[in-house]
Each structure stands twice: as C-alpha cells, then as structure tokens.
C-alpha cells in the first residue's frame, strides 16, 4: 500500500532530550516535507526536501533539523526540544502531477515536551 | 507565512444540506487545493484547481476559483455525517512547489 509512515505516533519527552521523528515513504516521491499543526494556526511548514541531499527551510525551521540521505526517508530531529515544540507533526511527500504538488500525508506524530 | 484563510472557522449543518466553505489568499497562485482532515489524522487530498480554471467537480464536491478576487470556495452537496471533518485550502504559488495551508474550516454534519 502506498503510504507515508511516521514514528513514533505519540511521544512525551522532557525539555532538552534529543529526539528524532522518522518518516518513510514507499512511493518513490522526490519531494518530502514536514509540517506542524497547532490550534488556530493551521499547518506550518518546517522543512522540505526537493530530492536527496537537498533540503530547505520552511516557515518555522527554528529548533529543528532534517536530513535526506535516501529518497524514501526524511527524519525530523529536535536537538534540544522545548515546550513550545509541543505539537502535532505531519510528514508528507509528493510526486509532481503535471507540475502540481499533491501531497500524501502521514498519520501524524503527537509530541508533548514537558 | 499563512497564505489561505478559510471562512467560516466552523460550520454546523444537518445531513442532506449543502456545505460551503471559502478560502481567500494573498498572492498569485499556480493552483489551489483542498484537503480534508478527520480529527487528529493526516490530511487527505480532495481536489485541485489550476489558476486558469474557474470551476471543477469531483463527485459531491464542487470547487470554484476567482483569481481576480483571490478566493476559492468548496461546496459539498447532500452532506453526510461522514463528511464531518476539517477542510483546508492550500495554495501553490512558488517554484519550489511549496504548499501553504490555511487554518481550516471545521465542518460538523448532524445526523
């Protein structure tokens, strides 16, 4: 089944404890992206990647890192999490359809930083 | 930066009625998309309309786009309880293929 898989789905951690949220897609998509979703703010893009070894900042990149060593994987790294990074995180990927970027989303990772 | 803004923020209707949601945006776009999100789940793509199109249909969905007013609307006809979800518009306006999402409309369809 074509899908984007995120892990973990739920995580409670403490301030300063490094964590990684993994994202993997099995659709051979070139484009991958991370979003965070907060009440009243919609989805905001954190980082995106157009292809392997190519990553760029989105609208809210502070406090996050990403890497794209393989086409299928795009992990999100929080080096020193803080409470304001408590959020619902989504990974998404896309295959350009006639130039349009139609996203397939993962199920989400709910992160709580205490 | 937030490009699309949905209106209303919340909408409650009876099953069988039509639901209309609106989206306004600020800059010129290549295309506009609508996504649906069931509570706490990932978003699912519903429909895409290109900047040179004015209207598009998909099943019970009808999307319009008015580029002169920088606005779009999503109409769901003959709504069902299963249509209860949040609906987001997303604009594609850059060469980097980034999508910018609005804050969503929460639709509740009462049985």
């Amino acid at each position: 089944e074509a899908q984007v898989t995120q892990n973990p789905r739920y995580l409670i951690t403490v301030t300063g404890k490094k964590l990684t949220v993994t994202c993997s897609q099995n659709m051979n998509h070139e484009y991958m992206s991370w979003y965070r979703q907060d009440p009243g703010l919609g989805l905001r893009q954190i980082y995106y990647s157009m292809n392997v070894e190519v990553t760029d900042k989105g609208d809210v990149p502070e406090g996050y890192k990403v890497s794209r060593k393989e086409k299928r994987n795009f992990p999100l790294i929080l080096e020193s999490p803080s409470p304001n990074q408590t959020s619902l995180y989504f990974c998404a990927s896309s295959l350009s359809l006639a130039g349009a970027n139609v996203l397939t989303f993962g199920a989400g990772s709910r992160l709580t930083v205490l | 930066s937030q490009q699309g803004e949905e209106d209303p923020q919340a909408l409650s209707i009876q099953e069988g009625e039509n639901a209309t949601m609106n989206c306004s945006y600020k800059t010129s776009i290549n295309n506009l998309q609508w996504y649906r999100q069931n509570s706490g789940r990932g978003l699912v793509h519903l429909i895409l309309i290109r900047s040179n199109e004015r209207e598009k249909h998909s099943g019970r969905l009808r999307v319009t786009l008015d580029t002169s007013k920088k606005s779009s609307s999503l109409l769901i006809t003959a709504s069902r309880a299963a249509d209860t979800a949040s609906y987001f518009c997303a604009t594609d306006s850059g060469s980097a293929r980034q999508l910018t999402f609005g804050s969503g409309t929460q639709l509740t369809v009462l049985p």
Side-chain angles (χ1 to χ4, degrees):
Chain A
E1 181 189 351
Q3 59 185 357
V4 177
T5 303
Q6 298 178 226
N7 280 296
R9 294 288 316 282
Y10 301 91
L11 179 63
I12 300 174
T13 189
V14 295
T15 299
K17 185 175 182 182
K18 180 180 178 180
L19 68 92
T20 298
V21 186
T22 64
C23 175
S24 180
Q25 50 94 3
N26 62 0
M27 296 167 283
N28 203 35
H29 286 173
E30 292 181 346
Y31 181 93
M32 296 186 75
S33 181
W34 276 101
Y35 290 86
R36 61 176 289 173
Q37 184 176 31
D38 302 288
L41 296 177
L43 277 82
R44 294 179 292 167
Q45 190 177 49
I46 303 171
Y47 270 94
Y48 66 97
S49 170
M50 300 285 279
N51 212 328
V52 176
E53 301 292 1
V54 180
T55 62
D56 269 302
K57 296 177 181 179
D59 296 320
V60 288
E62 295 78 21
Y64 304 95
K65 285 175 59 177
V66 292
S67 68
R68 187 91 183 273
K69 295 187 173 63
E70 310 163 276
K71 199 171 189 178
R72 63 183 293 127
N73 296 323
F74 191 45
L76 179 70
I77 303 155
L78 286 72
E79 293 271 3
S80 182
S82 62
N84 64 11
Q85 292 178 298
T86 292
S87 187
L88 180 58
Y89 291 87
F90 289 102
C91 181
S93 69
S94 81
L95 180 68
S96 179
L97 296 176
N101 195 18
V102 176
L103 293 176
T104 300
F105 280 83
S109 296
R110 187 169 293 279
L111 172 65
T112 302
V113 183
L114 302 175
Chain B
S1 59
Q2 210 155 358
Q3 163 82 303
E5 291 294 336
E6 286 91 344
D7 170 60
Q9 288 188 335
L11 178 62
S12 185
I13 59 173
Q14 294 292 137
E15 206 164 24
E17 294 180 339
N18 295 342
T20 299
M21 289 157 270
N22 302 297
C23 170
S24 59
Y25 57 92
K26 296 178 184 144
T27 63
S28 61
I29 60 172
N30 300 319
N31 63 72
L32 185 144
Q33 302 175 39
W34 286 90
Y35 288 77
R36 166 197 167 121
Q37 182 184 32
N38 288 84
S39 181
R41 308 287 294 275
L43 282 75
V44 175
H45 179 259
L46 293 176
I47 193 167
L48 177 151
I49 186 165
R50 298 186 187 278
S51 60
N52 61 354
E53 298 175 310
R54 292 297 166 257
E55 187 171 312
K56 203 158 183 184
H57 296 255
S58 176
R60 293 185 295 113
L61 305 180
R62 174 180 166 245
V63 171
T64 62
L65 179 65
D66 187 335
T67 52
S68 66
K69 294 181 180 177
K70 291 186 169 60
S71 68
S72 172
S73 67
L74 171 67
L75 168 68
I76 304 174
T77 60
S79 62
R80 305 165 182 167
D83 293 328
T84 294
S86 292
Y87 292 83
F88 294 86
C89 67
T91 52
D92 181 346
S93 55
S95 59
R97 294 162 57 196
Q98 294 185 70
L99 282 185
T100 304
F101 287 82
S103 53
T105 292
Q106 171 62 52
L107 172 66
T108 302
V109 181
L110 303 169

